[in-house]
Amino acid sequence: GLEAGRVRCFLSHNGEEAQRVARGDSCEVSSNGSTLLVSDSTTDALTLTALNLDGTGEVVLLDGAEDTDLTFRLSGDGTQVAYVRSEAELPHVVILSREDGSVVLEGEDLYSLLSYEFSPVGPALFVIGETEEGDLALSLLEEQSSIVATGQALEAAFSSDGQYLTYLVAEEAG
């Protein structure tokens, strides 16, 4: 396996010779090619750093944050990063600005969080989580947090162009 702290991130564009751009446990590029997100995590702390693809413009978004589930998402347009913060055991999604790491939006506290994904092109993000009542709720975070649907079972996905959010809801039989 890859040993933590010894992993290097390389970037090759259109088959050109790869350039070493960063060091971390994982790295990913936003789908529009504007942002590289590098993660470094220990068993209980997460560090996220955003850079331009040439290695400039480095911004530390999270520095050894301990109240997370160590997962994160990069928006398709490269402008935002989401992660799950757990305070008092209640998880919620936090969206950070890639520019300066400031909090753009926080989702509602959930009993448990099942999934969250950004739209492929923009800053919209969906969250599926269990409410205190035991139902599942699908929320859309874009400028604000709003519940789209609730049910006993939920699945959601954005269309590849990011214009549509499709979801399946199963209600309790009765």
Side-chain angles (χ1 to χ4, degrees):
L2 296 172
E3 192 179 325
R6 301 191 55 82
V7 181
R8 306 284 185 271
C9 175
F10 288 83
L11 207 54
S12 172
H13 183 254
N14 290 337
E16 295 169 8
E17 185 178 343
Q19 303 293 317
R20 184 178 129 181
V21 285
R23 188 171 120 178
D25 295 332
S26 78
C27 59
E28 64 181 275
V29 175
S30 58
S31 55
N32 72 352
S34 67
T35 299
L36 176 73
L37 183 66
V38 178
S39 79
D40 231 332
S41 56
T42 62
T43 51
D44 59 359
L46 177 64
T47 298
L48 294 175
T49 307
L51 309 102
N52 298 325
L53 295 196
D54 62 4
T56 64
E58 179 175 315
V59 178
V60 177
L61 305 177
L62 285 181
D63 190 4
E66 293 183 349
D67 53 354
T68 83
D69 70 353
L70 303 180
T71 67
F72 54 90
R73 306 284 187 269
L74 173 61
S75 65
D77 64 3
T79 63
Q80 297 179 349
V81 173
Y83 76 101
V84 177
R85 183 186 294 160
S86 301
E87 289 170 312
E89 301 301 311
L90 288 177
H92 62 273
V93 171
V94 178
I95 300 177
L96 303 175
S97 164
R98 179 264 182 264
E99 290 301 309
D100 57 9
S102 61
V103 174
V104 175
L105 190 62
E106 293 197 43
E108 306 296 318
D109 282 350
L110 296 161
Y111 185 73
S112 70
L113 196 137
L114 301 181
S115 67
Y116 64 110
E117 293 294 337
F118 273 110
S119 158
V121 294
L125 176 118
F126 77 73
V127 177
I128 297 177
E130 186 180 344
T131 65
E132 287 187 48
E133 294 77 41
D135 278 340
L136 295 182
L138 169 64
S139 300
L140 189 62
L141 277 63
E142 190 177 25
E143 277 114 41
Q144 61 186 37
S145 176
S146 57
I147 292 180
V148 176
T150 58
Q152 294 297 111
L154 274 171
E155 285 182 29
F158 281 105
S159 61
S160 58
D161 64 4
Q163 295 197 38
Y164 299 94
L165 174 65
T166 57
Y167 56 94
L168 302 169
V169 181
E171 301 296 338
E172 202 169 0

